[in-house]
Amino acid sequence: MANRQALRDLQSRLAQRLQAARGEAGTVSWLAVESAGQGLLIALPSAGEIFPFGAVMPVAHTAPWFVGVANLRGGLHGVVDLAAFLGLRPTMAASETVREQSRLLALNPALGSHSALLVEKLAGLRAADQLQAEPAPPGPRPGFAGPRWRDAEGRVWQEIDLQALAQDENFLGIAV
């Protein structure tokens, strides 16, 4: 029970910090999330609301990384298991532990996509002054893969461009 309260407190603090960060002009800020152990950065202007992982209705004949649809604040959103979509691991099993820790990150409605990303963990906010640019790995990269960054602890974070992701052919192609 204490874990749930701590999680609610964390979400409340994150929501307050998200609101404050959006109000700061000229500052680049990201929401940091983890999927399959990979640190990912989402630009705050492209991120929407964060929801607990709740009732998601599966949809037949869709890609394995397409979890289903969820009713988020009265609107239907397609839910994508981000780590599975990125090829970091197979689709996540929906155990009780996974449900408690995972979150749905809705894309900003301005992006024109009624989608939400299933992420395993919220890791707080990051600002540009906390990170240093990291060289891109060799080889082809998808169009939604932004720059890579390293934090003070030495952890590498991959920036994901949600606007480019929302227009990506593979992301839109959920049917199998």
Side-chain angles (χ1 to χ4, degrees), residues 34-81:
E34 291 184 19
S35 286
Q38 174 70 48
L40 303 169
L41 298 174
I42 309 294
L44 286 180
S46 62
E49 286 189 72
I50 299 168
F51 298 91
F53 181 45
V56 176
M57 297 298 297
V59 178
H61 309 292
T62 58
W65 45 263
F66 188 77
V67 181
V69 293
N71 181 344
L72 304 177
R73 293 215 190 270
L76 289 180
H77 288 69
V79 177
V80 172
D81 181 341

Side-chain angles (χ1 to χ4, degrees), residues 49-120:
E49 286 189 72
I50 299 168
F51 298 91
F53 181 45
V56 176
M57 297 298 297
V59 178
H61 309 292
T62 58
W65 45 263
F66 188 77
V67 181
V69 293
N71 181 344
L72 304 177
R73 293 215 190 270
L76 289 180
H77 288 69
V79 177
V80 172
D81 181 341
L82 184 58
F85 176 76
L86 296 173
L88 300 174
R89 63 156 168 69
T91 303
M92 182 174 12
S95 69
E96 190 60 35
T97 302
V98 167
R99 289 183 177 275
E100 286 182 17
Q101 295 175 352
S102 298
R103 294 291 172 256
L104 298 178
L105 172 62
L107 276 65
N108 188 315
L111 299 179
S113 175
H114 293 279
S115 301
L117 303 174
L118 174 61
V119 297
E120 293 156 27

